[in-house]
PDB file of all heavy atoms in Angstrom:
ATOM      1  N   LEU A   5      41.943 -92.850  34.152  1.00 39.00           N
ATOM      2  CA  LEU A   5      42.699 -93.937  33.484  1.00 39.00           C
ATOM      3  C   LEU A   5      42.186 -95.297  34.010  1.00 39.00           C
ATOM      4  O   LEU A   5      42.478 -96.284  33.512  1.00 39.00           O
ATOM      5  CB  LEU A   5      44.116 -93.639  33.685  1.00 39.00           C
ATOM      6  CG  LEU A   5      44.717 -92.599  32.866  1.00 39.00           C
ATOM      7  CD1 LEU A   5      46.227 -92.386  33.239  1.00 39.00           C
ATOM      8  CD2 LEU A   5      44.786 -92.951  31.412  1.00 39.00           C
ATOM      9  N   PRO A  21      33.654-114.222  13.391  1.00 42.00           N
ATOM     10  CA  PRO A  21      33.690-114.652  12.045  1.00 42.00           C
ATOM     11  C   PRO A  21      34.448-113.631  11.040  1.00 42.00           C
ATOM     12  O   PRO A  21      34.828-113.867   9.962  1.00 42.00           O
ATOM     13  CB  PRO A  21      32.236-114.736  11.489  1.00 42.00           C
ATOM     14  CG  PRO A  21      31.493-113.937  12.481  1.00 42.00           C
ATOM     15  CD  PRO A  21      32.230-114.154  13.836  1.00 42.00           C
ATOM     16  N   TRP A  38      49.674-110.206   9.453  1.00 94.00           N
ATOM     17  CA  TRP A  38      50.794-109.438  10.062  1.00 94.00           C
ATOM     18  C   TRP A  38      52.084-109.986   9.428  1.00 94.00           C
ATOM     19  O   TRP A  38      52.214-111.077   8.804  1.00 94.00           O
ATOM     20  CB  TRP A  38      50.984-109.961  11.444  1.00 94.00           C
ATOM     21  CG  TRP A  38      49.929-109.202  12.462  1.00 94.00           C
ATOM     22  CD1 TRP A  38      48.771-108.706  12.092  1.00 94.00           C
ATOM     23  CD2 TRP A  38      50.194-108.952  13.862  1.00 94.00           C
ATOM     24  NE1 TRP A  38      48.074-108.193  13.248  1.00 94.00           N
ATOM     25  CE2 TRP A  38      48.958-108.345  14.229  1.00 94.00           C
ATOM     26  CE3 TRP A  38      51.278-109.108  14.614  1.00 94.00           C
ATOM     27  CZ2 TRP A  38      48.789-107.789  15.590  1.00 94.00           C
ATOM     28  CZ3 TRP A  38      51.027-108.727  16.092  1.00 94.00           C
ATOM     29  CH2 TRP A  38      49.995-108.146  16.379  1.00 94.00           C
ATOM     30  N   LYS A  83      67.487 -90.159  34.209  1.00 93.00           N
ATOM     31  CA  LYS A  83      68.405 -89.085  33.838  1.00 93.00           C
ATOM     32  C   LYS A  83      69.290 -88.406  34.952  1.00 93.00           C
ATOM     33  O   LYS A  83      69.900 -87.551  34.779  1.00 93.00           O
ATOM     34  CB  LYS A  83      67.650 -87.982  33.166  1.00 93.00           C
ATOM     35  CG  LYS A  83      66.951 -88.353  31.888  1.00 93.00           C
ATOM     36  CD  LYS A  83      66.440 -87.258  31.131  1.00 93.00           C
ATOM     37  CE  LYS A  83      65.029 -86.813  31.842  1.00 93.00           C
ATOM     38  NZ  LYS A  83      63.936 -87.814  31.674  1.00 93.00           N
ATOM     39  N   ILE A  93      84.091 -86.101  21.114  1.00 95.00           N
ATOM     40  CA  ILE A  93      83.889 -87.538  21.059  1.00 95.00           C
ATOM     41  C   ILE A  93      82.457 -87.832  20.660  1.00 95.00           C
ATOM     42  O   ILE A  93      82.354 -88.838  19.825  1.00 95.00           O
ATOM     43  CB  ILE A  93      84.158 -88.091  22.621  1.00 95.00           C
ATOM     44  CG1 ILE A  93      85.695 -87.911  22.900  1.00 95.00           C
ATOM     45  CG2 ILE A  93      83.702 -89.514  22.681  1.00 95.00           C
ATOM     46  CD1 ILE A  93      85.826 -88.223  24.354  1.00 95.00           C
ATOM     47  N   LEU A 136      71.446 -98.724  19.837  1.00 95.00           N
ATOM     48  CA  LEU A 136      70.395 -97.793  19.223  1.00 95.00           C
ATOM     49  C   LEU A 136      69.539 -98.598  18.301  1.00 95.00           C
ATOM     50  O   LEU A 136      70.037 -99.260  17.400  1.00 95.00           O
ATOM     51  CB  LEU A 136      71.051 -96.622  18.559  1.00 95.00           C
ATOM     52  CG  LEU A 136      69.997 -95.725  17.868  1.00 95.00           C
ATOM     53  CD1 LEU A 136      69.167 -94.991  18.798  1.00 95.00           C
ATOM     54  CD2 LEU A 136      70.897 -94.732  17.011  1.00 95.00           C
ATOM     55  N   SER A 138      66.448 -97.424  15.954  1.00 95.00           N
ATOM     56  CA  SER A 138      65.792 -95.977  15.619  1.00 95.00           C
ATOM     57  C   SER A 138      64.698 -96.440  14.533  1.00 95.00           C
ATOM     58  O   SER A 138      64.942 -96.395  13.377  1.00 95.00           O
ATOM     59  CB  SER A 138      66.775 -95.088  15.009  1.00 95.00           C
ATOM     60  OG  SER A 138      66.126 -93.832  14.844  1.00 95.00           O
ATOM     61  N   TYR A 150      57.165-102.092  22.913  1.00 95.00           N
ATOM     62  CA  TYR A 150      56.453-103.102  23.528  1.00 95.00           C
ATOM     63  C   TYR A 150      56.797-104.557  22.923  1.00 95.00           C
ATOM     64  O   TYR A 150      56.764-105.517  23.632  1.00 95.00           O
ATOM     65  CB  TYR A 150      54.870-102.857  23.581  1.00 95.00           C
ATOM     66  CG  TYR A 150      54.503-101.740  24.417  1.00 95.00           C
ATOM     67  CD1 TYR A 150      53.822-100.586  23.905  1.00 95.00           C
ATOM     68  CD2 TYR A 150      54.810-101.785  25.770  1.00 95.00           C
ATOM     69  CE1 TYR A 150      53.367 -99.621  24.843  1.00 95.00           C
ATOM     70  CE2 TYR A 150      54.385-100.867  26.641  1.00 95.00           C
ATOM     71  CZ  TYR A 150      53.769 -99.623  26.202  1.00 95.00           C
ATOM     72  OH  TYR A 150      53.343 -98.654  26.960  1.00 95.00           O
ATOM     73  N   ILE A 173      73.888-109.657  24.511  1.00 86.00           N
ATOM     74  CA  ILE A 173      73.307-109.735  23.159  1.00 86.00           C
ATOM     75  C   ILE A 173      74.208-109.125  22.252  1.00 86.00           C
ATOM     76  O   ILE A 173      74.676-108.027  22.370  1.00 86.00           O
ATOM     77  CB  ILE A 173      71.916-109.064  23.161  1.00 86.00           C
ATOM     78  CG1 ILE A 173      70.988-109.576  24.238  1.00 86.00           C
ATOM     79  CG2 ILE A 173      71.293-109.230  21.676  1.00 86.00           C
ATOM     80  CD1 ILE A 173      69.776-108.669  24.466  1.00 86.00           C
ATOM     81  N   LEU A 211      51.095 -91.471  43.223  1.00 97.00           N
ATOM     82  CA  LEU A 211      50.163 -91.293  44.332  1.00 97.00           C
ATOM     83  C   LEU A 211      50.663 -92.105  45.522  1.00 97.00           C
ATOM     84  O   LEU A 211      50.570 -91.512  46.714  1.00 97.00           O
ATOM     85  CB  LEU A 211      48.860 -91.913  43.856  1.00 97.00           C
ATOM     86  CG  LEU A 211      47.648 -91.482  44.833  1.00 97.00           C
ATOM     87  CD1 LEU A 211      47.537 -89.964  45.312  1.00 97.00           C
ATOM     88  CD2 LEU A 211      46.435 -91.903  44.249  1.00 97.00           C
ATOM     89  N   ILE A 212      51.273 -93.278  45.267  1.00 97.00           N
ATOM     90  CA  ILE A 212      51.782 -94.058  46.436  1.00 97.00           C
ATOM     91  C   ILE A 212      52.903 -93.224  47.135  1.00 97.00           C
ATOM     92  O   ILE A 212      53.086 -93.261  48.229  1.00 97.00           O
ATOM     93  CB  ILE A 212      52.271 -95.434  45.903  1.00 97.00           C
ATOM     94  CG1 ILE A 212      51.004 -96.319  45.596  1.00 97.00           C
ATOM     95  CG2 ILE A 212      53.221 -96.190  46.957  1.00 97.00           C
ATOM     96  CD1 ILE A 212      51.384 -97.533  44.879  1.00 97.00           C
ATOM     97  N   PHE A 262      59.958 -92.316  79.162  1.00 94.00           N
ATOM     98  CA  PHE A 262      60.107 -93.705  79.879  1.00 94.00           C
ATOM     99  C   PHE A 262      61.260 -94.452  79.053  1.00 94.00           C
ATOM    100  O   PHE A 262      61.278 -94.364  77.786  1.00 94.00           O
ATOM    101  CB  PHE A 262      58.808 -94.497  79.712  1.00 94.00           C
ATOM    102  CG  PHE A 262      57.710 -93.928  80.378  1.00 94.00           C
ATOM    103  CD1 PHE A 262      56.624 -93.165  79.664  1.00 94.00           C
ATOM    104  CD2 PHE A 262      57.485 -94.128  81.716  1.00 94.00           C
ATOM    105  CE1 PHE A 262      55.629 -92.727  80.368  1.00 94.00           C
ATOM    106  CE2 PHE A 262      56.412 -93.594  82.565  1.00 94.00           C
ATOM    107  CZ  PHE A 262      55.405 -92.923  81.671  1.00 94.00           C
ATOM    108  N   ASP A 285      49.113-123.080  59.949  1.00 90.00           N
ATOM    109  CA  ASP A 285      48.365-121.818  59.752  1.00 90.00           C
ATOM    110  C   ASP A 285      49.118-120.612  60.391  1.00 90.00           C
ATOM    111  O   ASP A 285      48.441-119.481  60.322  1.00 90.00           O
ATOM    112  CB  ASP A 285      47.014-121.957  60.711  1.00 90.00           C
ATOM    113  CG  ASP A 285      46.157-123.146  60.186  1.00 90.00           C
ATOM    114  OD1 ASP A 285      46.155-123.313  58.835  1.00 90.00           O
ATOM    115  OD2 ASP A 285      45.534-123.812  60.981  1.00 90.00           O
ATOM    116  N   TYR A 286      50.199-120.744  60.842  1.00 93.00           N
ATOM    117  CA  TYR A 286      50.939-119.633  61.514  1.00 93.00           C
ATOM    118  C   TYR A 286      52.170-119.180  60.823  1.00 93.00           C
ATOM    119  O   TYR A 286      52.984-120.022  60.491  1.00 93.00           O
ATOM    120  CB  TYR A 286      51.290-119.973  62.860  1.00 93.00           C
ATOM    121  CG  TYR A 286      50.130-120.540  63.644  1.00 93.00           C
ATOM    122  CD1 TYR A 286      50.085-121.941  64.057  1.00 93.00           C
ATOM    123  CD2 TYR A 286      49.064-119.736  64.070  1.00 93.00           C
ATOM    124  CE1 TYR A 286      48.998-122.521  64.708  1.00 93.00           C
ATOM    125  CE2 TYR A 286      47.888-120.354  64.774  1.00 93.00           C
ATOM    126  CZ  TYR A 286      47.919-121.698  65.017  1.00 93.00           C
ATOM    127  OH  TYR A 286      46.888-122.188  65.654  1.00 93.00           O
ATOM    128  N   ALA A 290      60.780-113.536  59.690  1.00 90.00           N
ATOM    129  CA  ALA A 290      62.219-113.226  59.591  1.00 90.00           C
ATOM    130  C   ALA A 290      62.349-111.793  59.273  1.00 90.00           C
ATOM    131  O   ALA A 290      61.395-110.967  59.099  1.00 90.00           O
ATOM    132  CB  ALA A 290      62.993-114.077  58.701  1.00 90.00           C
ATOM    133  N   ASP A 323      49.896-108.818  64.058  1.00 95.00           N
ATOM    134  CA  ASP A 323      48.734-108.998  65.011  1.00 95.00           C
ATOM    135  C   ASP A 323      48.042-110.241  64.931  1.00 95.00           C
ATOM    136  O   ASP A 323      46.809-110.345  65.348  1.00 95.00           O
ATOM    137  CB  ASP A 323      47.844-107.685  64.808  1.00 95.00           C
ATOM    138  CG  ASP A 323      47.251-107.674  63.496  1.00 95.00           C
ATOM    139  OD1 ASP A 323      47.549-108.514  62.637  1.00 95.00           O
ATOM    140  OD2 ASP A 323      46.510-106.676  63.192  1.00 95.00           O
ATOM    141  N   GLU A 387      44.613 -93.268  69.296  1.00 97.00           N
ATOM    142  CA  GLU A 387      44.168 -92.368  68.164  1.00 97.00           C
ATOM    143  C   GLU A 387      45.175 -92.028  67.143  1.00 97.00           C
ATOM    144  O   GLU A 387      45.048 -92.021  65.996  1.00 97.00           O
ATOM    145  CB  GLU A 387      43.636 -91.116  68.875  1.00 97.00           C
ATOM    146  CG  GLU A 387      42.368 -91.334  69.602  1.00 97.00           C
ATOM    147  CD  GLU A 387      41.191 -91.703  68.662  1.00 97.00           C
ATOM    148  OE1 GLU A 387      41.128 -91.298  67.550  1.00 97.00           O
ATOM    149  OE2 GLU A 387      40.342 -92.469  69.297  1.00 97.00           O
ATOM    150  N   THR A 414      50.192-107.061  31.634  1.00 92.00           N
ATOM    151  CA  THR A 414      50.899-108.236  31.174  1.00 92.00           C
ATOM    152  C   THR A 414      49.906-109.012  30.231  1.00 92.00           C
ATOM    153  O   THR A 414      50.431-109.546  29.097  1.00 92.00           O
ATOM    154  CB  THR A 414      51.387-109.063  32.382  1.00 92.00           C
ATOM    155  OG1 THR A 414      52.295-108.269  33.020  1.00 92.00           O
ATOM    156  CG2 THR A 414      52.073-110.336  31.889  1.00 92.00           C
TER     157      THR A 414
END
Side-chain angles (χ1 to χ4, degrees):
L5 288 170
W38 284 28
K83 300 186 286 290
I93 293 176
L136 172 66
S138 186
Y150 286 124
I173 303 165
L211 190 53
I212 289 168
F262 298 100
D285 298 324
Y286 309 110
D323 58 3
E387 291 296 330
T414 298

